[in-house]
Amino acid sequence: MKRNQIKRRPLADTVLASLEPEEKAYRELDGLGLYLRVKPNGSKSWELRYKRPSGKWSWKGLGGFPSVSGKAARRAAEDLRRQLSDGIDIANLNDQGELPTFRASAEHWYQRKLDVGRAPGTTSQMRRYLDGDILPRIGDKPLTEITRADCTAIQRGLEARGAHNIAEKVRSWVNQIFSEAIAEGLCELNPASELRHIAAKAPETNHYPHLFEDELPEFLKALKVSKARQQTREAVWMVLRTASRPGMVRFAEWDEISFEDGLWVIAADKMKMRRDHVVPLSTQTLASLKEIRLQTGRQRLIFPGQGPRNPVLSENTINQVLSKVGYKGKLVGHGTRHTASTLLREHGWRKELVEAQLAHKEEGIAGVYNQAQYIEKRRAMMQWYADYLDALEVGITEERAKQFKVLVEG
C-alpha cells in the first residue's frame, strides 16, 4: 500500500502491515506525535516526536513493528507523554522505561577502570568506598534526581570521620561518573561539580610520618620483638628493606620473585608510573621470603589476608604493626620510603640510584628517555642499606661506621 492511499488515523493494523517502502526512509503519522518509520529495506519501527524539558525537539524509539503492535505503541506513547507532563526527560529512560540509576553508571565507570589496568590497590580502594559510602547513599537514585545536597552529604560524611584525603578522592570519582553519564546522554547536569569549594580544610598533618637515622635503633629493636603474626611482620620488614610502597608489598606475588637472581620484577600494570619495575633484594629479604614461602608458597600472593572476605593484606595492617610497637603518629608504611631516601642520600648514594629504587620518574624529557634501572648498583646500595639497618639495631661502633663509609665511596 502506498502512503498516499491512507484514509484515516490512527493507522489500522492492515495499513501498518501493508505500507510499502520507498527509496528513502520515511515516517508516517499515526497520531499525537507517534509515527511509524519505514526504511528502504522494509523494516518498520515506532518513534515518538516530543519536546524535551530543555525545549528541544527529539525522537524516542518505541520498538519495531509488528513485534510492537499499533495498540501497544499508542499505549507506550501515552505513558511517555504522561511522564513528559511531569517534567521527566524521557530521553534518559532505559529499555525498561526506567530512569538510569547512579549505580549503573558507577559500575560502568568502575569496569572501565579495571579494563584500562588501574593498579589493584587503586581499584580495590575504589570498590571499598563505592560499596561503603557512595552507593548506599545515591546508588539506587536515578541520575537526574540526585541533588547537590546528596553529593555534599557524601563528602561531609567522610570529612566527619577525618578522612579528608579519601573525601577528595571520592569527590573526584563521583565527578567522573557524572561526566561519563553526561557524555553518554544519560543526564544533563553534574551535581558534584562544585564540591571542592565547600570541602572542609584538612587539619595540618605530618604526611607520611617517617624516622631519621638517630631514631632508627630504638624502632628496629621494637619491631624485632613485635608480637604481630609472622607473615605480617615480614611484610613490614620487606617494606622497610626495599623502600617499596606498602601496596606493592601487599599485592606482591610469588611468580614475581626470582630467588636465583635476587630480584623482584613487578609488571607495569601494577605500578603507579605504568612501567615495569625491578627491585633488587638483599640477602636479608631473600631469607625472609624463603621462610614465608613455607607458609604461603602455594598461594598466588606472598602476604595474603585472612579468610575469603579479606583475600589481600589490608592497607591498614602494616600501619597497625607500627602503631603497636609504639610508633603511632611517628611512622607509617609509606614513610619508610622517606626514611630510606634521606638516609641513603646522606650517606652519599647517588640521587639517580635512590630515585630508581623508589620507582620515581624523572621530571621533563629525562623522564621519557632515561629508564635505566641501574640494577647492579642498586643491588649493592640496597644490600648496604639492609646491612646498615642491622648495624643500627645492635649499635654502630666508630670502626664499623668507617667500614660502611668505605663501602659507599667504593
Side-chain angles (χ1 to χ4, degrees):
M1 179 179 183
K2 303 293 185 182
R3 56 177 171 159
N4 58 11
Q5 297 176 296
I6 296 173
K7 303 295 184 182
R8 65 182 179 86
R9 289 172 174 74
L11 303 174
D13 287 345
T14 54
V15 173
L16 294 171
S18 61
L19 270 177
E20 298 176 6
E22 297 180 2
E23 185 177 347
K24 293 183 179 180
Y26 66 88
R27 293 184 177 95
E28 192 61 40
L29 178 66
D30 182 82
L32 299 176
L34 178 64
Y35 289 79
L36 182 74
R37 187 167 188 257
V38 183
K39 291 184 179 181
N41 62 6
S43 67
K44 300 170 183 178
S45 60
W46 294 103
E47 292 183 344
L48 178 66
R49 177 75 164 166
Y50 71 98
K51 184 180 287 188
R52 300 184 68 178
S54 63
K56 294 182 179 180
W57 285 94
S58 187
W59 294 94
K60 179 72 174 178
L62 303 183
F65 177 86
S67 58
V68 177
S69 67
K71 183 177 180 180
R74 292 176 200 111
R75 186 168 57 246
E78 182 180 355
D79 290 340
L80 291 173
R81 285 193 292 269
R82 189 179 302 114
Q83 294 185 67
L84 284 166
S85 66
D86 292 336
I88 296 174
D89 188 348
I90 64 172
N92 296 326
L93 298 179
N94 58 24
D95 293 339
Q96 288 73 45
E98 302 168 338
L99 288 169
T101 63
F102 182 86
R103 184 184 302 276
S105 289
E107 295 298 347
H108 183 262
W109 168 84
Y110 178 70
Q111 186 59 49
R112 281 169 57 90
K113 297 299 182 183
L114 294 176
D115 292 343
V116 299
R118 291 296 297 271
T122 300
T123 53
S124 66
Q125 186 181 63
M126 290 173 174
R127 185 75 265 171
R128 183 164 55 258
Y129 288 101
L130 274 172
D131 293 339
D133 293 273
I134 303 173
L135 296 180
R137 286 184 179 269
I138 61 175
D140 296 325
K141 282 192 171 187
L143 286 162
T144 54
E145 295 181 12
I146 296 172
T147 65
R148 293 191 183 278
D150 292 326
C151 298
T152 298
I154 296 173
Q155 177 170 281
R156 288 182 173 161
L158 290 162
E159 291 171 346
R161 304 202 312 253
H164 294 275
N165 182 49
I166 290 299
E168 182 179 354
K169 290 183 179 182
V170 166
R171 181 170 67 245
S172 172
W173 299 338
V174 176
N175 256 300
Q176 291 175 31
I177 292 167
F178 272 108
S179 293
E180 284 191 7
I182 290 171
E184 292 171 355
L186 300 178
C187 61
E188 297 294 332
L189 300 174
N190 180 352
S193 62
E194 305 300 324
L195 290 180
R196 68 186 185 281
H197 296 299
I198 59 170
K201 183 179 180 181
E204 294 295 329
T205 59
N206 179 13
H207 293 292
Y208 302 134
H210 57 284
L211 302 178
F212 294 99
E213 182 172 336
D214 61 352
E215 300 173 288
L216 285 173
E218 292 304 316
F219 163 70
L220 294 167
K221 291 173 185 176
L223 181 59
K224 194 166 187 179
V225 297
S226 166
K227 297 188 182 300
R229 69 187 185 110
Q230 184 185 9
Q231 291 178 33
T232 304
R233 191 171 62 249
E234 295 304 333
V236 176
W237 277 109
M238 188 166 175
V239 168
L240 181 65
R241 288 171 175 150
T242 63
S244 297
R245 296 181 178 90
M248 291 164 55
V249 172
R250 290 172 48 233
F251 286 91
E253 302 177 27
W254 281 115
D255 62 7
E256 297 171 349
I257 304 295
S258 171
F259 286 96
E260 295 76 12
D261 299 325
L263 297 174
W264 173 21
V265 182
I266 310 170
D269 60 1
K270 294 179 67 175
M271 293 300 300
K272 183 177 181 180
M273 299 309 299
R274 289 294 177 270
R275 63 185 185 190
D276 293 347
H277 183 54
V278 181
V279 181
L281 301 174
S282 65
T283 55
Q284 291 91 329
T285 299
L286 289 169
S288 170
L289 287 171
K290 287 177 181 178
E291 287 190 24
I292 295 299
R293 186 166 56 174
L294 298 175
Q295 302 176 37
T296 68
R298 293 184 178 181
Q299 301 185 50
R300 179 175 61 87
L301 295 175
I302 297 174
F303 302 107
Q306 293 180 293
R309 295 187 63 182
N310 301 289
V312 180
L313 195 69
S314 79
E315 64 178 329
N316 293 322
T317 300
I318 289 174
N319 290 338
Q320 288 174 354
V321 172
L322 300 176
S323 294
K324 289 180 179 179
V325 298
Y327 283 80
K328 184 176 182 178
K330 301 176 184 178
L331 178 66
V332 295
H334 203 102
T336 61
R337 290 163 56 80
H338 294 256
T339 295
S341 177
T342 301
L343 190 149
L344 289 167
R345 294 289 290 126
E346 287 181 346
H347 282 271
W349 291 98
R350 290 178 9 224
K351 178 181 178 181
E352 60 266 32
L353 300 183
V354 176
E355 294 298 292
Q357 182 66 24
L358 296 174
H360 285 168
K361 184 176 180 179
E362 292 185 68
E363 296 181 0
I365 195 68
V368 177
Y369 292 105
N370 186 10
Q371 296 191 28
Q373 299 202 35
Y374 314 106
I375 299 300
E376 293 309 315
K377 292 180 179 178
R378 284 169 52 214
R379 189 193 299 276
M381 179 178 72
M382 297 315 292
Q383 184 61 56
W384 177 94
Y385 184 58
D387 291 341
Y388 196 70
L389 292 177
D390 289 346
L392 285 173
E393 181 198 335
V394 299
I396 296 182
T397 63
E398 185 176 343
E399 185 61 31
R400 189 77 190 277
K402 291 180 181 178
Q403 293 175 355
F404 277 106
K405 184 177 181 181
V406 170
L407 183 60
V408 176
E409 293 179 345

